[in-house]
Amino acid sequence: MAMQEVREDGKLQEISRAQGGDWGGIYVDAEFKHMLEDIISKATVEAFRTAHTIDYIDLFRNFEKKKREKQLRNNVLITVPPTLLEIVDDISKHIEDQGLDELVKWKRDKFQIKLQKYQEFFNKVIDKIVVKIEEMMVSDTAKGTNVIIMVGGFSASEFLQQRIKDSFPNYTVVIPPDCGLAVLKGAVLFGHDPEMIAARMTKYTYGVRINTRFDKDKHPESRKKIINGKEYCANTFDIHVKRGRLIHCNEETEETYTPIYEDKTSVILRVFISVKENPKYTDEEGCREIGSLTVPMPDIRGGTKRKVVAKFKFGATKITVKGTDETSKKTVDVKLDFLENSS
């Protein structure tokens, strides 16, 4: 889920960082699978998946079709591949043994599921969606928001559509035709014009790992490291961009670093992200390295006073990290996936 606004130039700008969670259509599939496991056992469902993989996939394709259909009857029919009957005897008895015979029936090659039971597959997931939207709508950045646009395959579900309309009566709910294809169409449009999303909210804090001069008032003794006869604090997270900041397309940040050794002929810049807004060290929980680059510094005459400039450029889909030796003007860069590391 994401909150965006349309700017005066017609481009989009995020006003809240995109968020994901266990509220997609696959979690409805999981609820249906749990019912199957309750009826014929988890081991039997796994045996069916292993022995008849194509039929197992077809079963869930049939369920997927039902998820998108408008249900006009009190019972929902789910067709089951005949190969399941090669593994399971008397499905009706299994249903009865689980006390589900009032809600689920076995009719030839189909599960006949009462609409009440069928809706239960959706309720847990839809509840989470509604709660998340409520959380987003009460944030300060949501002021003035009055439209909810539903896209993606799960948005075709009438249960989800009706629940969203009922839960947010003061909002205009827009459901485009073929909402399942809307994401694909959007991807094609984005491919033609990546800068149509002019600004994004960063999900992570971005920076590089450095060794900084040790300060007993700021750094724990365990972090002290003696390098070249001087005290340093190891694995410090030097922040370039904090989590939750609005970054415009092609915006740049810049920091300058110096080598610790006088005869160092290269500097390695290791790029890290963190789920924390203000991480102190790169080995904290929630931090991970996403790339690195080695900047050559062949002229050692400046010793430890030489400088390397590190630039982060945030493009539409990529982050370009560029390192430049100010003495030799030699430059190295690496491109990292902004969307992958921000999703």
Side-chain angles (χ1 to χ4, degrees):
M1 294 184 201
M3 295 183 68
Q4 299 177 332
E5 64 180 359
V6 181
R7 306 194 325 181
E8 290 184 359
D9 60 4
K11 294 186 177 182
L12 298 176
Q13 174 174 301
E14 287 187 350
I15 56 176
S16 177
R17 62 183 176 84
Q19 300 182 54
D22 54 348
W23 48 59
I26 59 171
Y27 295 97
V28 179
D29 298 348
E31 293 296 318
F32 172 62
K33 182 182 177 183
H34 291 158
M35 186 198 75
L36 287 179
E37 292 172 345
D38 288 342
I39 293 173
I40 61 176
S41 82
K42 187 173 183 177
T44 302
V45 172
E46 179 60 22
F48 176 57
R49 186 191 68 81
T50 303
H52 304 285
T53 304
I54 294 177
D55 290 341
Y56 177 87
I57 293 172
D58 282 342
L59 171 59
F60 281 89
R61 280 179 180 160
N62 292 337
F63 182 71
E64 180 66 27
K65 290 177 183 177
K66 289 294 180 183
K67 277 165 48 180
R68 298 172 185 235
E69 292 176 0
K70 189 174 183 65
Q71 303 303 325
L72 301 175
R73 300 181 180 180
N74 292 326
N75 295 300
V76 179
L77 298 177
I78 309 292
T79 302
V80 176
T83 47
L84 180 61
L85 301 178
E86 297 175 9
I87 299 176
V88 184
D89 293 326
D90 199 351
I91 291 181
S92 292
K93 187 174 187 310
H94 285 284
I95 292 172
E96 186 177 344
D97 289 344
Q98 293 301 316
L100 294 172
D101 49 309
E102 293 295 323
L103 298 171
V104 183
K105 303 288 185 185
W106 177 250
K107 301 290 185 180
R108 295 184 181 178
D109 62 343
K110 296 178 177 66
F111 281 114
Q112 180 179 290
I113 306 171
K114 288 284 188 183
L115 190 60
Q116 170 193 346
K117 176 65 177 176
Y118 181 72
Q119 275 190 280
E120 289 179 5
F121 299 149
F122 294 78
N123 289 342
K124 187 184 297 185
V125 177
I126 293 176
D127 286 346
K128 291 181 179 180
I129 292 173
V130 170
V131 168
K132 177 51 65 175
I133 295 176
E134 289 173 342
E135 290 176 356
M136 295 174 74
M137 290 304 188
V138 298
S139 66
D140 292 337
T141 57
K143 290 180 179 178
T145 302
N146 55 12
V147 178
I148 297 174
I149 303 175
M150 298 178 63
V151 297
F154 191 28
S155 290
S157 164
E158 63 167 332
F159 296 138
L160 177 58
Q161 292 177 5
Q162 194 58 52
R163 181 71 181 280
I164 296 299
K165 291 176 181 177
D166 292 343
S167 299
F168 304 98
N170 296 325
Y171 291 81
T172 300
V173 179
V174 177
I175 307 167
D178 297 322
C179 53
L181 292 176
V183 176
L184 177 60
K185 292 177 181 177
V188 173
L189 292 172
F190 182 74
H192 284 287
D193 182 13
E195 294 185 12
M196 67 186 302
I197 300 180
R200 297 181 184 274
M201 301 289 290
T202 55
K203 184 177 181 180
Y204 297 103
T205 293
Y206 293 83
V208 298
R209 186 176 75 185
I210 65 170
N211 293 315
T212 190
R213 291 302 294 268
F214 185 81
D215 183 340
K216 65 179 182 179
D217 295 326
K218 296 194 321 189
H219 305 132
E221 191 70 22
S222 59
R223 293 279 177 180
K224 185 191 292 186
K225 186 176 181 181
I226 306 299
I227 304 175
N228 204 22
K230 297 178 180 178
E231 295 180 348
Y232 286 87
C233 180
N235 301 326
T236 302
F237 197 122
D238 192 53
I239 297 173
H240 277 245
V241 173
K242 291 185 178 182
R243 176 187 180 185
R245 179 183 160 186
L246 184 68
I247 289 289
H248 292 84
C249 191
N250 296 322
E251 183 174 339
E252 293 185 354
T253 67
E254 181 179 308
E255 296 289 343
T256 301
Y257 305 102
T258 56
I260 293 176
Y261 297 98
E262 294 182 353
D263 58 351
K264 193 78 170 175
T265 57
S266 65
V267 168
I268 300 176
L269 297 175
R270 299 191 181 278
V271 183
F272 279 76
I273 59 174
S274 173
V275 297
K276 298 179 180 179
E277 183 179 356
N278 290 293
K280 293 183 178 180
Y281 308 104
T282 57
D283 52 4
E284 292 177 3
E285 185 178 352
C287 298
R288 63 184 173 91
E289 184 176 345
I290 60 171
S292 65
L293 62 158
T294 301
V295 184
M297 303 183 74
D299 188 341
I300 64 173
R301 286 175 296 179
T304 57
K305 294 183 179 180
R306 293 172 295 159
K307 296 179 180 179
V308 169
V309 177
K311 287 185 178 181
F312 280 55
K313 183 177 181 179
F314 293 81
T317 62
K318 300 288 183 183
I319 303 172
T320 302
V321 181
K322 181 185 293 185
T324 303
D325 172 28
E326 285 202 332
T327 303
S328 67
K329 304 304 179 184
K330 290 185 178 294
T331 297
V332 178
D333 64 49
V334 62
K335 288 181 170 56
L336 307 171
D337 195 322
F338 185 29
L339 297 186
E340 178 181 334
N341 290 314
S342 292
S343 62

